[in-house]
Amino acid sequence: MDLWLIGIGTGNPEHVTLEAQRALREAALILVPRKGPDKSDLAGLRHRIIAEAGATAPVQEFDYPTRDPNLPYKHRVRAWHDEIALCWQDAIAKADPHGPVALLVWGDPSLYDSTLRIATRLEPAPKLRVLPGITALHALTAAHGITFNTLAGAVTVTTGRRLRDHGWPYGAETVAVMLDGDCGFRSLDRTDLMIWWGAYLGMEEQILDHGPVVEAGPRIVEARARARADHGWIMDTYVLRPMGLD
């Protein structure tokens, strides 16, 4: 089986590349996950992207499993991936496609996304094709009009969990934080940091803020909570950097 993992950017159909649109049109089956009523608009966005690409392949929806909160974190995530792989296999078997299967992946399949890891669990192993997408970090730096890195500088990409558990990465200059559901920047004992934050990047609901963490941080915490209550979900990311670096 050919399995195409198609990066679709951050929710703006105009972020979908021409290559991705063509792949959607050439696929024999398109899988769309359902993540519960609170996130039904995410499935709706996927359907909109499929329609705007001109794809005519059957669309097979499947329900996303939930994680077992009683398991240790990594064990919990791996078990969840096992369950998702079974959902894919079941959905594909029901549709019995005669050609490539496409799966729309938020952002890019290679950056803080486990779709590739889940794909390795399928039996028999599929022939994978990965189509890149605009990541949240691309959309964030573009929205703020900033460079991802300082002049000749390095960037550390990490998670909110690691930021909270381990603090500022040793020797880091610019830190990009993803998958942070608890505003991990609040755990940092530094007053010299700037933050560039964005939620719903590229979408009509996009929210941006930036400034010294000591000033912008409380605003971001409040805006994030309000947006999550309004929409039922939120996807956001941010970049941290000491003041004065270019």
Side-chain angles (χ1 to χ4, degrees):
M1 178 187 73
D2 286 344
L3 179 61
W4 295 352
L5 307 181
I6 303 175
I8 58 170
T10 59
N12 183 341
E14 294 185 0
H15 287 183
V16 180
T17 67
L18 295 176
E19 181 186 32
Q21 291 182 352
R22 179 176 176 180
L24 287 170
R25 290 193 294 272
E26 293 177 350
L29 174 69
I30 302 173
L31 299 181
V32 171
R34 290 189 297 249
K35 299 185 177 182
D38 290 344
K39 297 181 179 178
S40 60
D41 48 348
L42 293 178
L45 272 171
R46 284 183 164 90
H47 282 286
R48 180 182 168 192
I49 288 170
I50 292 167
E52 293 197 10
T56 57
V59 176
Q60 181 71 41
E61 294 191 343
F62 63 96
D63 292 318
Y64 237 53
T66 56
R67 302 184 196 187
D68 183 347
N70 297 315
L71 296 174
Y73 177 72
K74 287 190 176 180
H75 189 179
R76 177 166 71 233
V77 172
R78 290 187 179 112
W80 185 55
H81 289 170
D82 290 341
E83 290 188 65
I84 294 172
L86 292 175
C87 290
W88 290 5
Q89 290 197 165
D90 183 58
I92 294 168
K94 286 179 179 175
D96 190 25
H98 299 281
V101 177
L103 185 65
L104 283 64
V105 181
W106 221 257
D108 182 274
S110 68
L111 182 64
Y112 278 102
D113 185 275
S114 290
T115 307
L116 277 163
R117 296 187 185 90
I118 296 168
T120 64
R121 288 163 161 79
L122 297 180
E123 295 181 0
K127 180 181 178 183
L128 291 177
R129 178 187 178 196
V130 179
L131 290 87
I134 293 176
T135 71
L137 295 177
H138 288 126
L140 177 72
T141 53
H144 282 288
I146 62 171
T147 57
F148 190 45
N149 59 289
T150 58
L151 183 62
V155 178
T156 300
V157 182
T158 188
T159 66
R161 177 185 296 274
R162 292 189 66 85
L163 198 65
R164 290 191 298 275
D165 292 348
H166 303 289
W168 186 259
Y170 178 76
E173 189 171 80
T174 298
V175 175
V177 183
M178 305 183 74
L179 306 177
D180 187 0
D182 196 28
C183 299
F185 56 79
R186 294 181 296 178
S187 66
L188 299 174
D189 186 22
R190 295 183 60 156
T191 59
D192 64 330
L193 295 175
M194 289 286 292
I195 185 170
W196 292 266
W197 173 81
Y200 311 103
L201 289 159
M203 303 170 68
E204 294 178 357
E205 300 85 351
Q206 177 175 282
I207 309 171
L208 301 174
D209 201 344
H210 77 284
V213 171
V214 292
E215 297 175 7
R219 295 197 305 266
I220 292 169
V221 172
E222 183 179 344
R224 193 180 190 285
R226 186 169 55 246
R228 182 168 190 141
D230 289 345
H231 299 286
W233 60 275
I234 187 168
M235 287 193 289
D236 61 337
T237 189
Y238 56 90
V239 165
L240 298 167
R241 182 178 296 158
M243 300 177 191
L245 298 181
D246 67 350

